[in-house]
Amino acid sequence: MVQMGEDTLLAVKDLKVWFSLKRGLLDSLRGKPQLYVHAVDGISFDVKKKETFCLVGESGCGKTTTGKAILRLVPITGGNAYFKPKPEILEELEKEGVEPIDNGIVDLASIPPNKFKPLRRDLQIVYQDPFGSLNPRYRVRDTLEEALIVHGIGETREERENIIATVLEKVKMTPVEDFIDRYPHQLSGGQRQRVAIARALILNPSLIVADEPVSMLDVSIRAEILELFNILQEDLGVSFIFITHDLAVARYVCHRIAVMYLGKIVELGDAREVIANPLHPYTKALVAAIPDPKPENRLVVREVPIIGEVPNAIFIPPGCRFHPRCIYYNKQPTPKLKQKCPAEEPPFKEVEPGRHTACWMYD
Amino acid sequence: MVLLEVSNLKTYFYTLRGIVKAVDGVSLTLDRGQTLGIVGESGCGKSTLAWSIMGLVPPPGRIAGGSIKIDGDDITKMREGDVRSKIRWKKVSMIFQGAMNALNPVYKVADQIAEPLLYSGAPRDEAYARVAELLEMVGLDPKIGERYPHELSGGQKQRVVIAMALIMEPDLVIADEPTTALDVVVQAQILNLMKELQRKKRRSIIIISHDLGVVSELAEKIAVMYAGKIVEYGTAEQIFNNPMHPYTQALIRAIPRLTGPVTKLEYIPGSPPDLRSPPPGCRFAPRCSKVMDICRSEEPVLEELEKDHFVACWLYRR
C-alpha cells in the first residue's frame, strides 16, 4: 500500500542519486573503497495537484539532480517516486506491461527505461538556457511538432498545426503566424523561453519540472515569464517543480518551498512563511545573504550567519551535514547540540503546522 | 576631486553587418573615493563602457568619439604603449566578470597576482611579499598563492581576481558583474570585502551589474543605462526612492522582493532595440508606457531635475 493523499500528484520517498567516481584498476586491486558523489542523499517531499513546488539551494545542492531523477534523466540509486499519471497514460503503460502498484499509482523509480515513454507525455521539463535548449536549425514549428510526432499525436499535418497554434497562444506568442516559422536566432531570449515552455506544454502534461527557467533572462523579461507561469498554472492546472537559486523568485511563484543543502532537504514549508521566518540555520543564512535593492544597504555590512564554504559531496560531514558551518553549533552550543550535531543526523519533522525542518535545535 | 571624467563617449563596433553603437554619447564624472553603480540589462553597453575606460575595447570595436580623462590625462588620445605603462592597472584596474575564466589555469595564483609588479620592475621577493599581504587582505590564506586556479572554489577565485586588481594600488577599480556567477552566500562575502576596500582604502569603485540589489550594496551614485545611453543618473536614494525615468521605474517594479506584500510583478513589454539601427527619438519609446509623440521623433537629453539627479525624458521637459 502506498499512502498518498487525494490531491497529491507526486510523492518522493527517500530518493537517492549517487554518482560513482572513477576508480583506477590499481586502486580497486588495493581494495580502496568505491567513492560516490552524494548528489541527492535521501529526500522526501510531495507535490500536490495544481501546485508550484520549489526546490531552492546553492549550486551543487542537488536540486537539479532531483528534478532530473524524477524524469529519469539520471539513474536513481534508491528510493521511490510515486506518481499518479492521467488515465489514458496509465492505460498505455498497462499495454506495455507496467502494472500500477496501487490504485492508479506508479513508481517512477522502478519502471524499466524502455517502458517509460508514455510517461514522458505527463512529465515534462523546461531548461535554464533557452539559447542551448532549442535546436538552432529547427523552426518553432519543427521544435513543437517533433514532440507530437514522437508521441503519435495528431494524425494529419493540419491537426498538428492546430495543436501548435493553440499552445503558442497559451504562451502568448501571438499572432501565431508571426512566430511559427521563425528560427531560434530570430527570437529574443524571452520569446525563446516561451517556445521552450510551449514545447513542455504541448503534450498536456500534469507535471513540469522547470529548472532555473528565468535565471538566464534579463530582469524586465524575467517578470514576464514568471507571470506566464502563474497564468498557466491557473488556466491549465498543471503542477510545477520549480528549481531556482533565487529565493525572491521562489517567493513570487511558489506555494511551498524546500530548501536543499548538500543533497538533503533541510527545511520545507509555505514559501512566504519560510522566507519571512526561516527555522533552519542554513535557511536563515540564505535569506540574510540576499540584498534587497535598498539604498541604505551600502551603509551597513551584511552579516551572513554561516561559516566557511560548502564541503564536497563525496565526504559528507558526519551527523548533521550542516554542523561544520552552523553558527549555533560552533558558537556556544548547548550541551545537547554539542553532543548531537556531529554525531547523529537530525530527523526531518514537522515542528510547526506545515513547517518541516531537520535540525536538532527543534527536537 | 574629480578622478574620472568621461564626456560624450562613443564606442562603436564596426561589424560586417553594420555599426553597433554600443556606447553612444555617455558622460559621467567620478570623484576620488566615490562609488558609482552602473545598471542595465544585457546589451545596454555597460560592459563596453568599462572596457573603454580600461582602453581595452576589443576589435572590431573602437572609440569613435568623446574623451576619457583619468587624473586629467585623456586616454583616448594616448598611444597604447603609454596607456599600458602609465594608466592601465596602475591607475585603473578591473575585476573581471566570471573569475573562472579570468585566471590562467597553468599559472600558480601568486605568480599571476605578482605579474604586473614584476613587469614594472619590482624585485621578486618584494613582489611576493606584497602578494601574500594582498591575499590576506582579501581573506585568503597566503599559502593559497602556491595553488593553481582549479584547486580553488568559485569564491576563492573571485577573491584572487580582486587581489589581482589591487596589486598596483590603483585609484579606480572597475568591477564588472563581480558576483554574477557566485552563490548568494559567497556573493554577500565578496560584497562585504568590497565594502571594506571602499571604506578603509578610500578607493573609487565602479560597480557594474544587472542586479539592482548588488549595486545597492555599494553604490552612492547610480547611472541607469539603456541601449547605449545613460537615461537616469543620481544618488542611490534618488534612484531607488524617487526614480523618474519610466525605464528605471519599470525596472524597479519588475524585481521580485524578499519582503513586503507579494504584488503582481510589472514587466516591460518588448525587447531592447537593435543597436545597429536604434529607433529615432528616445530609444525607450517603443517599450514605454508613457510614450508621447515627441518621444518618437526627438531624442531627450540628460537634464538636472533636482540637485545631482539627471533624467533624459520628455515627461519632464520645461
Side-chain angles (χ1 to χ4, degrees):
Chain A
M1 271 296 278
V2 181
Q3 291 290 332
M4 227 171 133
E6 190 54 35
D7 61 343
T8 306
L9 179 69
L10 173 79
V12 173
K13 297 262 183 281
D14 204 25
L15 183 76
K16 286 196 178 89
V17 181
W18 293 0
F19 297 107
S20 55
L21 286 181
K22 274 208 180 111
R23 183 170 56 158
L25 179 65
L26 266 181
D27 283 346
S28 40
L29 288 178
R30 283 181 189 142
K32 278 202 184 165
Q34 171 70 51
L35 297 176
Y36 294 95
V37 174
H38 301 77
V40 179
D41 204 12
I43 66 169
S44 304
F45 61 91
D46 51 7
V47 180
K48 301 199 164 57
K49 284 177 184 159
K50 300 191 184 187
E51 183 185 40
T52 302
F53 183 85
C54 255
L55 290 171
V56 302
E58 296 180 278
S59 42
C61 73
K63 54 191 194 299
T64 296
T65 308
T66 305
K68 287 191 171 170
I70 291 164
L71 296 174
R72 291 285 295 271
L73 297 174
V74 292
I76 293 175
T77 309
N80 309 90
Y82 301 111
F83 177 68
K84 282 183 202 153
K86 291 207 178 80
E88 66 263 28
I89 285 163
L90 213 51
E91 234 169 74
E92 261 186 66
L93 277 173
E94 277 173 28
K95 265 187 234 158
E96 296 260 353
V98 178
E99 289 296 327
I101 357 179
D102 194 12
N103 200 9
I105 298 172
V106 294
D107 181 5
L108 298 177
S110 68
I111 295 172
N114 58 352
K115 302 200 168 142
F116 204 83
K117 190 174 148 197
L119 277 164
R120 302 240 171 262
R121 273 168 61 185
D122 225 7
L123 299 164
Q124 280 291 320
I125 187 164
V126 177
Y127 289 101
Q128 172 174 9
D129 177 8
F131 299 84
S133 70
L134 298 176
N135 188 329
R137 293 167 182 238
Y138 276 23
R139 290 168 297 178
V140 170
R141 170 203 301 276
D142 306 319
T143 296
L144 297 176
E145 196 177 12
E146 190 181 28
L148 296 178
I149 295 171
V150 166
H151 287 276
I153 299 168
E155 301 198 342
T156 60
R157 186 140 232 187
E158 287 73 47
E159 224 174 291
R160 290 197 293 267
E161 192 134 313
N162 283 336
I163 301 174
I164 292 169
T166 325
V167 79
L168 283 177
E169 270 164 30
K170 278 184 199 154
V171 297
K172 312 265 178 304
M173 302 236 341
T174 46
V176 170
E177 313 79 67
D178 280 6
F179 292 105
I180 194 163
D181 281 319
R182 290 210 203 170
Y183 286 94
H185 74 266
Q186 296 167 311
L187 300 171
S188 69
Q191 289 166 342
R192 276 183 238 202
Q193 199 58 301
R194 282 166 193 275
V195 174
I197 294 169
R199 177 174 58 185
L201 282 177
I202 199 161
L203 295 168
N204 197 17
S206 23
L207 178 68
I208 295 178
V209 174
D211 187 4
E212 301 263 16
V214 295
S215 48
M216 297 278 286
L217 303 176
D218 268 316
V219 191
S220 68
I221 299 156
R222 192 177 287 185
E224 197 177 346
I225 298 290
L226 290 177
E227 198 51 47
L228 179 67
F229 273 104
N230 282 345
I231 292 169
L232 289 174
Q233 171 121 68
E234 272 164 40
D235 290 358
L236 307 174
V238 50
S239 300
F240 288 105
I241 293 180
F242 197 100
I243 297 167
T244 179
H245 67 279
D246 188 334
L247 279 172
V249 166
R251 182 172 182 262
Y252 185 73
V253 288
C254 298
H255 299 109
R256 290 185 304 149
I257 64 174
V259 180
M260 288 186 72
Y261 180 74
L262 219 53
K264 278 265 188 200
I265 293 179
V266 295
E267 180 161 1
L268 192 157
D270 176 85
R272 286 166 205 185
E273 281 177 37
V274 168
I275 290 164
N277 175 27
L279 297 174
H280 195 280
Y282 178 63
T283 321
K284 287 183 190 193
L286 270 191
V287 172
I290 300 171
D292 227 14
K294 285 185 192 134
E296 35 313 348
N297 284 351
R298 71 171 195 275
L299 306 171
V300 290
V301 171
R302 184 172 292 278
E303 296 287 348
V304 181
I306 197 165
I307 296 160
E309 297 196 7
V310 189
N312 72 35
I314 302 168
F315 304 104
I316 302 263
C320 170
R321 55 193 67 203
F322 185 63
H323 87 267
R325 304 187 68 195
C326 180
I327 55 158
Y328 298 91
Y329 169 74
N330 287 288
K331 292 187 184 149
Q332 298 175 331
T334 61
K336 183 189 132 195
L337 293 186
K338 205 164 185 173
Q339 182 223 331
K340 288 275 196 187
C341 298
E344 257 182 87
E345 193 138 21
F348 184 66
K349 55 189 235 178
E350 192 163 12
V351 294
E352 282 171 33
R355 298 284 306 271
H356 297 71
T357 188
C359 177
W360 286 117
M361 286 201 298
Y362 300 97
D363 189 59
Chain B
M1 213 175 99
V2 176
L3 173 65
L4 171 75
E5 193 178 354
V6 176
S7 44
N8 201 21
L9 179 72
K10 292 179 173 158
T11 306
Y12 294 171
F13 288 83
Y14 296 86
T15 69
L16 291 176
R17 294 184 179 187
I19 301 169
V20 179
K21 297 174 178 175
V23 174
D24 201 11
V26 163
S27 303
L28 53 88
T29 56
L30 185 67
D31 291 342
R32 237 168 241 284
Q34 205 176 43
T35 299
L36 169 72
I38 299 178
V39 295
E41 300 179 84
S42 45
C44 73
K46 55 192 192 306
S47 288
T48 305
L49 176 60
W51 291 107
S52 305
I53 297 171
M54 288 289 288
L56 282 175
V57 181
R62 62 187 153 85
I63 291 172
S67 65
I68 302 167
K69 285 190 183 143
I70 295 164
D71 256 350
D73 297 328
D74 184 352
I75 64 159
T76 60
K77 307 270 185 316
M78 286 164 88
R79 283 180 307 148
E80 166 61 22
D82 291 340
V83 174
R84 195 186 297 168
S85 60
K86 292 184 188 137
I87 306 286
R88 195 180 302 142
W89 233 252
K90 294 199 177 66
K91 286 194 172 165
V92 192
S93 72
M94 190 154 164
I95 298 167
F96 293 96
Q97 180 173 7
M100 331 299 152
N101 308 324
L103 296 175
N104 188 331
V106 297
Y107 275 85
K108 280 183 189 160
V109 164
D111 297 337
Q112 297 195 46
I113 302 175
E115 205 177 355
L117 259 188
L118 296 172
Y119 180 82
S120 65
R124 238 186 125 72
D125 47 341
E126 234 171 72
Y128 281 87
R130 174 90 185 107
V131 168
E133 215 174 281
L134 267 174
L135 283 172
E136 210 153 13
M137 197 188 87
V138 297
L140 292 173
D141 184 345
K143 284 198 202 94
I144 268 183
E146 286 303 302
R147 297 210 208 156
Y148 289 95
H150 76 267
E151 296 174 281
L152 308 182
S153 71
Q156 288 173 326
K157 276 189 247 186
Q158 195 63 50
R159 286 172 196 264
V160 168
V161 172
I162 292 174
M164 250 164 101
L166 296 175
I167 185 89
M168 302 297 285
E169 300 271 350
D171 300 308
L172 169 65
V173 179
I174 303 173
D176 184 9
E177 302 269 10
T179 61
T180 302
L182 305 174
D183 279 316
V184 282
V185 171
V186 184
Q187 167 173 296
Q189 291 162 348
I190 296 289
L191 290 175
N192 280 343
L193 170 63
M194 291 182 66
K195 265 183 203 175
E196 218 172 286
L197 284 180
Q198 201 179 20
R199 287 191 192 159
K200 290 196 187 140
K201 302 260 173 175
R202 296 301 296 160
R203 295 247 188 276
S204 301
I205 298 176
I206 295 182
I207 169 130
I208 297 175
S209 180
H210 67 283
D211 187 335
L212 280 164
V214 167
V215 168
S216 76
E217 287 281 306
L218 291 167
E220 299 152 76
K221 289 214 164 186
I222 294 176
V224 181
M225 279 187 82
Y226 183 78
K229 290 189 176 280
I230 292 178
V231 295
E232 185 162 0
Y233 178 56
T235 64
E237 281 76 12
Q238 286 165 340
I239 298 289
F240 284 111
N241 301 339
N242 180 28
M244 294 181 87
H245 196 281
Y247 177 65
T248 317
Q249 292 172 347
L251 205 57
I252 288 175
R253 280 201 296 260
I255 311 170
R257 300 296 180 105
L258 264 193
T259 52
V262 181
T263 49
K264 216 170 162 186
L265 289 184
E266 283 178 46
Y267 56 84
I268 309 171
S271 45
D274 184 343
L275 291 177
R276 281 172 296 179
S277 51
C282 172
R283 293 180 178 189
F284 187 59
R287 300 176 77 190
C288 183
S289 59
K290 296 176 179 153
V291 63
M292 302 174 292
D293 285 340
I294 188 170
C295 305
R296 297 187 215 274
S297 53
E298 275 178 71
E299 200 163 341
V301 289
L302 270 182
E303 267 187 89
E304 190 166 13
L305 294 181
E306 50 181 330
K307 192 177 179 301
D308 293 336
H309 193 174
F310 296 81
V311 182
C313 180
W314 287 119
L315 279 177
Y316 307 102
R317 79 184 138 170
R318 279 175 283 196

